[in-house]
């Protein structure tokens, strides 16, 4: 069925993946990563993040020759000019992307060939919270729904196991469901 | 000092902002919003979200004629081809963008003219969690640091009050610090 001579499955180099896992098992200090984003206000609800360097595996990663540049905004009904997805929509994207990648990597490691991974996410919000109109509704989403379509050359039960394991290991799923301590510093100079 | 005839401050139409707040106070049912993201796997760690429609103020919003299309990836050290920021970096961007916009809106409402809002975010992670090598480290960031530079035509104390209020009302800050219930459904057809 599959090509046993190739180490690439689902577009993931599994030989490299397993070598990375072995290396981190032997030298856990290499597992310390730090990711970063620098944001700048451009007027109204328009702002822009640049994302480039990060710390990984004992040193500063310098493989990205150019930064990623991503714009955020708000639609007209939230007093914006739609200069990009809004921040809450980016949070849904972060969660969707992390779940998709986790599924693909877990499936690659477990020798499950995938044909499609397509999550649709919804987030329900009462904007009275974020707009400061009422103290009762929370500011963020009350709930997030993730509806996955996952297909591949494996029984449905196996595909469901992959999704379950991937969800249990997803970095963003962990953060969005359990929360993260955030420390805020302000300089006004 | 400021132009009293203009209702736009910091690029925010404050007349429209206050009218929106008044309307939502009178008709709280208009505050029900739903945002969405549809994601699709493109191979390996490359996946893409499309973001367009949302529900707002009693109906489906149709003001976006084209979807926003945003790509995610992983750097080489995480077995990817750097096809976009990774999901954890997008979470930092979502948080940064939400804090920036919240500061700008709060300042506009409080008649504080801003000249710059520049947050730098860091997220520290032990990737043994997400890679499934060790059960002890959590999957996501252990902590997030936000370092703001905020300047404007107001005393430092006033600018700090704006940042404090904005943080207390930010939708993504609420979600990232407190977590959100997430329901996952899977179809394998």
């Amino acid at each position: 069925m599959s090509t046993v001579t190739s180490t690439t499955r689902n577009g993931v180099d599994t030989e490299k993946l397993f070598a990375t896992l072995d290396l981190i098992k032997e030298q856990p200090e290499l597992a310390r990563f730090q990711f970063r984003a620098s944001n700048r206000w451009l007027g109204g609800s328009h702002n822009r993040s640049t994302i480039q360097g990060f710390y990984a595996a004992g040193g500063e990663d310098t493989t990205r020759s150019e930064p990623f540049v991503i714009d955020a905004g708000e639609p007209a009904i939230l007093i914006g000019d739609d200069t990009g997805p809004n921040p809450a929509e980016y949070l849904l994207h972060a969660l969707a992307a992390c779940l998709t990648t986790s599924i693909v990597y877990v499936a690659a490691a477990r020798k499950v060939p995938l044909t499609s991974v397509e999550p649709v996410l919804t987030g329900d919000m009462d904007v009275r919270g974020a707009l400061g109109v009422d103290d009762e509704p929370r500011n963020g989403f009350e709930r997030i729904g993730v509806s996955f379509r996952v297909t591949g050359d494996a029984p449905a039960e196996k595909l469901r196991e992959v999704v379950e394991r991937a969800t249990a290991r997803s970095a963003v799923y962990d953060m969005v469901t359990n929360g993260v301590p955030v420390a805020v510093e302000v300089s006004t100079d």
Side-chain angles (χ1 to χ4, degrees), chain A:
Chain A
M1 305 277 275
S2 60
T3 312
V4 292
T5 51
S6 170
T7 65
T8 297
R9 188 177 297 109
N10 299 332
V12 179
D13 184 337
T14 56
E15 191 173 336
K16 193 175 166 196
L17 176 61
F18 289 126
T20 300
L21 299 181
D22 287 343
L23 185 64
I24 286 174
K25 273 176 203 160
E26 285 163 25
Q27 297 180 255
E29 68 275 14
L30 297 180
R32 305 286 336 157
F33 278 48
Q34 181 184 75
F35 293 109
R36 305 173 196 129
S38 296
N39 184 270
R40 179 186 290 261
W41 172 51
L42 299 175
S45 63
H46 187 197
N47 61 74
R48 178 173 292 162
S49 290
T50 54
I51 292 173
Q52 184 168 14
F54 59 94
Y55 181 91
E60 190 68 15
D61 190 279
T62 56
T63 57
R64 289 172 173 168
S65 56
E66 297 287 335
F68 295 114
V69 178
I70 42 179
D71 282 28
E74 293 288 353
I77 199 165
L78 291 171
I79 332 292
D81 301 312
D82 234 4
T83 50
N86 77 15
E89 290 172 322
Y90 271 115
L91 183 120
L92 293 179
H93 163 63
L95 178 57
C98 197
L99 289 170
T100 293
T101 298
S102 297
I103 287 170
V104 170
Y105 279 33
V106 168
R110 295 186 175 193
K111 298 185 170 50
V112 175
L114 298 173
T115 46
S116 65
V117 183
E118 294 169 5
V120 176
L121 277 75
T122 57
D124 295 305
M125 185 186 292
D126 184 327
V127 297
R128 287 181 296 166
L131 291 177
V133 169
D134 193 312
D135 283 337
E136 196 270 311
R138 70 177 295 177
N139 304 331
F141 293 136
E142 290 147 27
R143 73 192 72 82
I144 293 174
V146 182
S147 182
F148 264 112
R149 181 167 176 268
V150 180
T151 60
D153 187 14
E157 190 52 39
K158 186 77 180 171
L159 293 171
R160 288 176 183 279
E161 280 173 25
V162 167
V163 174
E164 198 172 316
R165 170 71 176 176
T167 304
R169 285 301 184 182
S170 159
V172 177
Y173 182 84
D174 168 28
M175 292 191 273
V176 169
T177 55
N178 296 315
V180 182
V182 179
V184 179
E185 287 180 351
V186 184
S187 148
T188 57
D189 299 325

